[in-house]
Amino acid sequence: MSGNEGDDSSTAAPSYTHGTSTTPLLGDTVGANLDRAVAAYPDRDALVDVPSGRRWTYAEFGAAVDEVARGLLAKGVRKGDRVGIWAVNCPEWVLVQYATARIGAIMVNINPAYRAHELEYVLGQAGISLLVASLAHKGSDYRSLVGQVAGKCPRLRETVYIGDPSWDELTAGATAVPRKQLAAAAAELSCDDPINIQYTSGTTGFPKGATLSHHNILNNGYWVGRTIGYTEHDRVCLPVPFYHCFGMVMGNLGATSHGACIVIPAPSFDPAATLRAVQRERCTSLYGVPTMFIAELNHPDFATYDLSSLRTGIMAGSPCPVEVMKRVVTEMHMGQVSICYGMTETSPVSLQTRMDDDLEHRTGTVGRVLPHIEVKVVDPVSGLTRPRGTAGELCTRGYSVMLGYWNEPEKTAEAVDPGRWMHTGDLAMMRQDGYVEIVGRIKDMIIRGGENIYPREIEEFLHAHPKIADVQVVGVPHERNGEEVLACVIPRDPADPLTLEELQAYCDGRLAHFKIPSRLRILDTFPMTVSGKVRKVELRERYADPAG
């Protein structure tokens, strides 16, 4: 819909809601919260690494975290120092996460897919003094890549490699640090201290380092887990990457804040390894983006795995097709599966579906606001709150909003307004019941002759066309109207592609005239980011010239 369709602001409720709860926020640091879990559940499983067969009870996990924390102290790491983690999913990643939090060091997540120039940027921008890295993964020799950039990063004192004698040296160093020194370091920490920097991937320019506190991520992990009913009896299978909030906050902290068990199925996503881990460890919860669940469901041996232990899980990252959700609920036994919406800058989750929500709410919305968080939908130009049922920019406020972008106050001020509202850049519509639909990105919005056009609405309409396998709609320059609507289509049958006349005839009388595409491109594939999202900016640039 356009910005003004269906708008009767005199009667419609405003697109604002906040999550209430009689349960207070946690005031702990991550380390103190882990201590509570260790005391309450010492003999229950805390961490299982299926590939190596290693496992830790909570008592053992707490001791292993303290050993790494004391090892870091022995290497001179102190509160506020930045420790990089550049590794695939493995137990050591989790130990470093909790050990750095234990002493107040700021852990900097580095994407394992980064190449030398990206690594150099993050090492320099965050001022990392100690780096913990994998040795190799998928053809990347991490030691060689570090060697290429170390000389350009003067603050980097040392690199510790997982699975290498340097890791053993780190843990052995714990013997030189008395336990009372670790306790003294922990006593100096506030829950509002920064402990994590996560670099957000941008389509242009270098990524920005979202800086998060104990309070941000511990509470978000706790509330995401609480919303799907986690207890000490849950076992959470995590094929999603730890370097992202999905793995380390919703996964790791979501589990340990409830005494549940973290299960690592593989270093990176592998559908067979994931299914095997669920069966072997009797997991009750499974995480993933929709494409992961599709890969698992379509695995040739899917029917041979016993997934009856599952009851819940989290799907996030992009909308879930209805048919996929039906299969996840029935064939994977995940009747209480939850959809989450968020962004790194908000720790990450703001909206989540509930365990008893129906299929339509789980596939048509991204849920409703979590406790202790506010959300609103505003006019992107005026900033005024929109009436429910009309589109605008989604904003969120509360404990989850980041401290800021590391050493980038100007960029922080662009994202977080003086009222502490985080502007997500997402276009959303709040329903009358408070559930929220994401309808696109502000940067994707097309303004044609003064009319706001949301590409996702047109894309969803065109998906029903029998000749269209997939479609992306973008705005391209137009001399008179400012922008015009371009549909980029992957045909079901390349031998019988859609024509512009057929497309326009299909839309005529069913879409407002200004939303009907005036241009069409037939493509084999769409340009994608490394995380699997379509690069609309590239489509816009590529086809800006009608003759191009």
Side-chain angles (χ1 to χ4, degrees):
M1 67 176 67
S2 78
N4 297 316
E5 285 184 43
D7 181 351
D8 183 357
S9 55
S10 63
T11 58
S15 295
Y16 167 88
T17 185
H18 65 281
T20 60
S21 177
T22 56
T23 302
L25 289 168
L26 302 174
D28 295 339
T29 61
V30 168
N33 188 261
L34 178 61
D35 287 342
R36 295 179 193 278
V38 169
Y41 314 111
D43 300 323
R44 296 200 69 88
D45 285 346
L47 177 63
V48 174
D49 182 51
V50 176
S52 68
R54 293 179 291 167
R55 53 206 312 131
W56 290 258
T57 63
Y58 265 93
E60 292 164 342
F61 180 66
V65 167
D66 285 358
E67 181 181 55
V68 174
R70 290 160 64 205
L72 290 171
L73 288 172
K75 287 189 175 293
V77 176
R78 296 295 183 266
K79 176 182 177 181
D81 289 350
R82 273 77 69 205
V83 174
I85 177 84
W86 189 36
V88 293
N89 287 14
C90 61
E92 289 80 4
W93 207 111
V94 186
L95 294 173
V96 169
Q97 176 184 345
Y98 287 82
T100 49
R102 173 77 83 193
I103 62 175
I106 301 173
M107 183 179 74
V108 183
N109 302 12
I110 305 174
N111 187 330
Y114 273 5
R115 310 307 295 166
H117 74 282
E118 296 160 316
L119 174 65
E120 179 186 342
Y121 174 77
V122 169
L123 290 172
Q125 205 276 332
I128 290 169
S129 57
L130 186 142
L131 176 66
V132 179
S134 293
L135 282 166
H137 181 64
K138 290 187 175 178
S140 290
D141 181 341
Y142 286 37
R143 198 191 298 270
S144 171
L145 290 168
V146 171
Q148 291 176 40
V149 303
K152 305 172 189 175
C153 303
R155 298 195 64 167
L156 181 65
R157 299 195 316 262
E158 185 175 357
T159 302
V160 174
Y161 293 96
I162 297 165
D164 176 79
S166 58
W167 176 265
D168 298 329
E169 178 197 329
L170 170 69
T171 55
T175 57
V177 176
R179 295 183 188 278
K180 64 181 180 182
Q181 185 178 339
L182 176 60
E188 294 295 313
L189 306 183
S190 159
C191 67
D192 294 317
D193 291 335
I195 52 156
N196 185 214
I197 297 174
Q198 300 203 25
Y199 280 87
T200 61
S201 56
T203 51
T204 57
F206 284 107
K208 304 181 290 287
T211 307
L212 304 168
S213 67
H214 296 266
H215 196 65
N216 288 150
I217 60 176
L218 175 61
N219 274 291
N220 204 252
Y222 172 80
W223 281 100
V224 167
R226 183 182 172 92
T227 301
I228 50 176
Y230 278 170
T231 72
E232 71 273 19
H233 300 290
D234 280 294
R235 303 173 70 79
V236 187
C237 184
L238 296 177
V240 295
F242 289 156
Y243 74 82
H244 188 273
C245 272
F246 201 171
M248 68 157 281
V249 178
M250 300 154 70
N252 295 343
L253 287 169
T256 60
S257 60
H258 294 279
C261 176
I262 300 162
V263 176
I264 304 173
S268 60
F269 177 63
D270 178 312
T274 302
L275 294 167
R276 191 161 52 245
V278 169
Q279 174 177 276
R280 183 176 300 175
E281 293 299 325
R282 307 301 295 155
C283 294
T284 60
S285 177
L286 173 62
Y287 287 15
V289 298
T291 53
M292 290 181 175
F293 284 100
I294 291 167
E296 291 151 9
L297 288 162
N298 292 341
H299 190 275
D301 298 327
F302 173 78
T304 67
Y305 291 97
D306 177 5
L307 309 178
S308 60
S309 58
L310 287 173
R311 69 166 182 87
T312 190
I314 293 176
M315 203 180 297
S318 59
C320 178
V322 174
E323 293 308 313
V324 175
M325 179 61 77
K326 286 180 180 174
R327 293 189 65 194
V328 167
V329 169
T330 56
E331 297 174 41
M332 300 183 83
H333 309 281
M334 294 171 60
Q336 298 174 353
V337 66
S338 183
I339 300 294
C340 288
Y341 164 85
M343 60 191 305
T344 305
E345 291 91 335
T346 56
S347 304
V349 179
S350 304
L351 300 155
Q352 185 173 354
T353 60
R354 303 317 201 247
M355 290 190 288
D356 57 352
D357 280 343
D358 60 27
L359 181 70
E360 194 282 326
H361 278 87
R362 291 187 205 186
T363 56
T365 80
V366 290
R368 55 188 168 92
V369 69
L370 282 178
H372 304 292
I373 291 175
E374 299 170 89
V375 295
K376 65 178 179 178
V377 176
V378 303
D379 183 296
V381 178
S382 71
L384 297 176
T385 303
R386 304 284 291 136
R388 293 197 185 195
T390 57
E393 183 181 18
L394 182 66
C395 298
T396 182
R397 179 168 70 178
Y399 73 83
S400 58
V401 175
M402 67 174 179
L403 300 177
Y405 293 120
W406 185 258
N407 281 346
E408 295 195 272
E410 298 85 5
K411 286 190 167 63
T412 302
E414 291 172 10
V416 184
D417 69 25
R420 288 295 295 165
W421 286 98
M422 176 75 208
H423 289 251
T424 67
D426 280 322
L427 288 163
M429 186 181 74
M430 186 179 293
R431 295 180 175 184
Q432 298 302 325
D433 62 6
Y435 281 75
V436 173
E437 300 174 30
I438 302 297
V439 298
R441 294 284 293 166
I442 285 180
K443 64 185 180 184
D444 296 334
M445 186 172 73
I446 303 165
I447 304 176
R448 180 190 181 278
E451 296 280 4
N452 292 347
I453 301 171
Y454 304 108
R456 185 171 293 181
E457 179 195 358
I458 305 173
E459 290 163 357
E460 289 178 0
F461 172 75
L462 292 178
H463 263 293
H465 193 289
K467 284 192 172 184
I468 293 176
D470 203 356
V471 57
Q472 295 290 324
V473 171
V474 297
V476 288
H478 186 269
E479 187 174 342
R480 187 177 67 255
N481 292 324
E483 286 186 294
E484 62 180 332
V485 180
L486 164 67
C488 298
V489 168
I490 297 175
R492 287 192 182 276
D493 180 2
D496 183 24
L498 190 71
T499 67
L500 179 60
E501 291 73 22
E502 287 176 309
L503 179 70
Q504 292 177 330
Y506 181 75
C507 297
D508 190 34
R510 303 168 74 191
L511 281 180
H513 70 90
F514 59 85
K515 299 178 187 176
I516 298 175
S518 55
R519 291 178 54 194
L520 171 68
R521 286 280 178 172
I522 302 296
L523 305 179
D524 297 324
T525 58
F526 296 133
M528 308 288 279
T529 67
V530 292
S531 59
K533 294 181 179 177
V534 176
R535 295 194 77 246
K536 288 198 170 190
V537 64
E538 189 171 322
L539 291 173
R540 279 194 295 271
E541 291 169 355
R542 188 186 296 176
Y543 303 117
D545 181 353

